[in-house]
Amino acid sequence: MLLTLEEVEHIAELACLRLTEAEKERYREQLSAILDYATRLQTLDTAGIPPTSSVLPAHSVLRPDEPRPGLSLEKLLLNAPEAKDAQFLVPLVLD
Amino acid sequence: MTSLVDLSLLEMSAALRAGEISSRELTLACLEQIERLEPLLHAFLTLNPEKALARADAADGSLNAWRKEPDRPLQALLGIPIAVKDVLCVADIRCTCGSRILDNFVPPYNATVVERLLAAGVVILGKTNTDEFAMGSSTENSAYGVTRNPWDFDRVPGGSSGGSAAAVASCLVPAALGTDTGGSVRQPASFCGVTGIKPTYGRVSRAGVLPLAWTMDHVGPMTRTAGDLALMLGVIAGPDPLDATSSEVPVPDYVAALSGEVDGIRVGVLREYFVDDAAPEQRAAVEAAGQTLEGLGATIEDTQLPAMPMSVAAKQTVLAPEAYAYHEAWLKTRAADYGSAVRARILAGAFVTGTEYVNGQRLRTLLRNDIDRLLARYDVLLAPSTAFAAPPVAEKTVELGGQSVPVAMNLSRYTGVFNLSGHPAASVPCGFTAEGLPIGLQIVGRWFDESTVLRVADAYQRATDWHARRPDLVV
């Protein structure tokens, strides 16, 4: 089932994505193919089947709550595009 | 002696211990092989020769000291050069995930598996190419160019761990790490003629590995022999306080499990949707592998996994939203930095409803129960690793069962189901097509029973020489 152009635009808006006209057309096909799979699952009789919540029936593994050395400030800031006063510098969001 | 770079990891290790070679010599031999073949392959995204040689010299120091006191224990992989897929963090080496999004990312820490390999003494030569964020099955979706298949440079190596597979197949390194979310270790291993394993979900830590879909992601080694695979897996397996999905199930001695015997092992050959569905050469090779195991004393029976056709739907319905959850912020702020194929695939995850996702998880339970029922009857299951051999780069369709089918949708046709179910699965070379391309045999075992999978793979390799063949230019 092919999505309509309006549906693609609606979901693009929900996802805050700006798409060109060519992209909308391409996404219409590609998204439809993947969503078809999801629809196909609705035909399953899944009454009484518990969803997989963990791939293996494992209990949550907790480590002892003990302090451990972390990374140094210098190392942590190495990947900051910009840093100031030992903090990540980000674009202004409020004037 | 055959060429130094063509030795198995276990042979390299023995030669290092005996003092017949040094880690520096071995590392230089690998670097020369890289210099010669890398321009043809493009297996690596980052090379690390200076640090590697410094590590090799340190390993030689430890080896020399050990030879004076050989009763002391020695690190399992001391002085062995390896490569790491570029979605696993290695401290202070750029980690791109094959994406422009992470063009400048230099992780300040090691992934747990990398930490364990380094503690075992490895020399990391570099980071290998991958489809962008491991999302793809051909290594064509890397922002940094396609990797070539060493058996035919016009063909893809498979993916997403295509750089690691090509590097191991070309003897650039004896071992490499890959990741496998839908077949990304086993399928490139099959296309490049190397041996690889996707361990049980929870067996190997994913801390420090950039995720694709966290309920399906696995880390696995790739080597040229099952013995080397056992050694590598033993080093990286086991619980990790930094990964709550890692399991406390004790890790056995995988190398000790390689008895060479398969007498009494019960093997189920998956026919419908697997062997019967594959191209004729793949079908014949897997059938012949079954006969080889039978000749070694295993009992072989045909069997079926009727729920298989739904697994593709479950895979897409679970994978896409999990990937979207990780990428949402970047998609909103830096969408143009993604390749268009990968962007579309991730974006699809935004539109899978909660109900659909839960139904995908329900189907996983069904698949898992069905596979467990088979593994109550059999010790391992056999299947082809792929439906056809490595396709040409940029090829859109392939002939399968008298029909023209899309390449991209069928590259990981037989592998993803075991990411959904969590069972361990290996791929070992089991033949070649008339065009000289490798064929892979998938061996699937019970949860946490990598030992039996590796034991069957090793016994098969003792009886065959498919894994020992090399592409023309390599040695």
Side-chain angles (χ1 to χ4, degrees):
Chain A
M1 187 189 65
L2 208 58
L3 293 172
T4 65
L5 210 56
E6 290 71 37
E7 282 173 317
V8 173
E9 281 167 355
H10 177 61
I11 38 198
E13 197 184 314
L14 289 177
C16 302
L17 287 173
R18 274 176 233 114
L19 299 178
T20 65
E21 291 306 313
E23 277 177 328
K24 281 179 201 165
E25 201 43 54
R26 184 150 38 90
Y27 277 31
R28 212 176 132 210
E29 283 172 34
Q30 289 175 337
L31 292 177
S32 298
I34 293 176
L35 294 180
D36 265 354
Y37 283 122
T39 313
R40 220 180 293 173
L41 287 182
Q42 311 295 8
T43 63
L44 266 186
D45 180 12
T46 50
I49 302 168
T52 298
S53 56
S54 156
V55 180
L56 293 177
H59 301 288
S60 209
V61 181
L62 298 177
R63 62 181 154 85
D65 188 13
E66 288 161 357
R68 298 176 302 126
L71 292 168
S72 68
L73 203 56
E74 295 73 43
K75 279 214 154 194
L76 282 171
L77 287 174
L78 279 177
N79 283 292
E82 286 184 71
K84 191 184 172 192
D85 302 334
Q87 294 175 62
F88 281 76
L89 207 59
V90 298
L92 205 61
V93 282
L94 292 173
D95 278 322
Chain B
M1 194 163 77
T2 51
S3 162
L4 196 52
V5 291
D6 191 27
L7 295 177
S8 72
L9 195 160
L10 284 163
E11 288 166 341
M12 286 177 183
S13 192
L16 285 167
R17 282 161 197 241
E20 292 159 15
I21 54 167
S22 67
S23 177
R24 171 170 273 267
E25 282 166 345
L26 183 58
T27 303
L28 282 171
C30 288
L31 288 170
E32 278 165 29
Q33 184 82 344
I34 290 170
E35 199 175 315
R36 186 166 71 85
L37 294 176
E38 179 62 7
L40 300 167
L41 294 167
H42 188 43
F44 281 92
L45 293 181
T46 307
L47 282 164
N48 187 33
E50 295 83 17
K51 278 187 204 163
L53 285 169
R55 283 275 304 180
D57 288 340
D60 285 331
S62 301
L63 281 159
N64 287 335
W66 174 79
R67 263 182 240 107
K68 291 181 191 118
E69 294 177 74
D71 293 336
R72 284 191 303 134
L74 193 66
Q75 292 146 282
L77 299 170
L78 188 58
I80 300 289
I82 66 153
V84 176
K85 183 181 183 180
D86 209 24
V87 299
L88 294 107
C89 290
V90 178
D92 307 325
I93 300 180
R94 187 168 88 131
C95 182
T96 67
C97 289
S99 178
R100 293 284 170 213
I101 295 276
L102 292 178
D103 202 31
N104 302 313
F105 176 48
V106 180
Y109 50 81
N110 288 313
T112 296
V113 286
V114 169
E115 194 73 41
R116 287 183 184 168
L117 286 169
L118 288 171
V122 300
V123 173
I124 294 177
L125 292 190
K127 304 292 294 290
T128 54
N129 201 6
T130 167
D131 287 295
E132 186 166 13
F133 288 105
M135 198 159 210
S137 307
S138 63
T139 318
E140 291 168 292
N141 296 319
S142 164
Y144 305 96
V146 61
T147 295
R148 302 283 165 165
N149 190 309
W151 294 92
D152 179 345
F153 298 128
D154 292 331
R155 290 175 186 269
V156 300
S160 61
S161 310
S164 287
V168 172
S170 314
C171 301
L172 309 186
V173 282
L177 285 183
T179 58
D180 191 317
T181 304
S184 287
V185 162
R186 290 159 286 157
Q187 181 254 43
S190 170
F191 281 179
C192 290
V194 304
T195 306
I197 189 166
K198 176 202 84 68
T200 312
Y201 188 84
R203 181 55 105 184
V204 175
S205 164
R206 287 112 34 101
V209 183
L210 279 93
L212 172 50
W214 68 87
T215 67
M216 293 169 66
D217 290 343
H218 300 67
V219 175
M222 304 166 90
T223 59
R224 292 189 289 269
T225 70
D228 291 356
L229 212 54
L231 186 57
M232 287 285 288
L233 185 61
V235 169
I236 61 174
D240 174 16
L242 299 180
D243 180 357
T245 63
S246 68
S247 170
E248 306 264 313
V249 175
V251 179
D253 184 337
Y254 294 121
V255 178
L258 308 179
S259 60
E261 303 280 326
V262 291
D263 209 24
I265 290 273
R266 295 163 302 165
V267 179
V269 181
L270 291 169
R271 298 292 324 196
E272 196 187 13
Y273 308 123
F274 289 95
V275 177
D276 294 347
D277 167 282
E281 288 176 305
Q282 273 67 21
R283 194 185 314 158
V286 172
E287 283 169 351
Q291 283 157 13
T292 301
L293 290 173
E294 193 168 28
L296 297 172
T299 58
I300 309 284
E301 259 177 43
D302 287 344
T303 189
Q304 322 290 344
L305 181 59
M308 176 65 179
M310 293 305 275
S311 75
V312 182
K315 183 180 139 187
Q316 294 296 348
T317 313
V318 171
L319 192 152
E322 290 189 4
Y324 182 75
Y326 180 74
H327 287 278
E328 186 177 29
W330 279 330
L331 271 172
K332 287 180 178 174
T333 56
R334 301 182 55 189
D337 288 335
Y338 287 94
S340 66
V342 169
R343 190 174 52 206
R345 282 190 64 192
I346 300 176
L347 185 62
F351 312 123
V352 174
T353 66
T355 311
E356 288 161 348
Y357 179 78
V358 169
N359 275 340
Q361 299 288 22
R362 283 198 170 108
L363 184 65
R364 288 178 84 164
T365 309
L366 272 182
L367 281 167
R368 201 171 75 189
N369 292 346
D370 281 2
I371 296 168
D372 275 341
R373 264 194 291 278
L374 292 181
L375 286 166
R377 208 157 3 122
Y378 305 108
D379 298 302
V380 291
L381 300 172
L382 294 191
S385 298
T386 59
F388 41 82
V393 171
E395 189 80 301
K396 294 280 179 247
T397 59
V398 65
E399 229 14 67
L400 189 62
Q403 288 178 31
S404 178
V405 300
V407 167
M409 304 294 279
N410 289 288
L411 283 168
S412 300
R413 196 178 170 105
Y414 306 142
T415 44
V417 60
F418 305 113
N419 296 77
L420 290 165
S421 74
H423 293 88
S427 178
V428 300
C430 70
F432 284 84
T433 66
E435 290 182 295
L437 299 169
I439 300 173
L441 169 74
Q442 202 175 184
I443 306 172
V444 184
R446 298 188 189 105
W447 284 345
F448 294 108
D449 191 15
E450 289 85 359
S451 289
T452 304
V453 172
L454 291 165
R455 180 177 145 203
V456 172
D458 170 67
Y460 178 73
Q461 291 188 338
R462 291 189 200 199
T464 57
D465 75 342
W466 306 115
H467 65 289
R469 303 195 186 183
R470 301 285 172 258
D472 284 342
L473 276 172
V474 166
V475 283

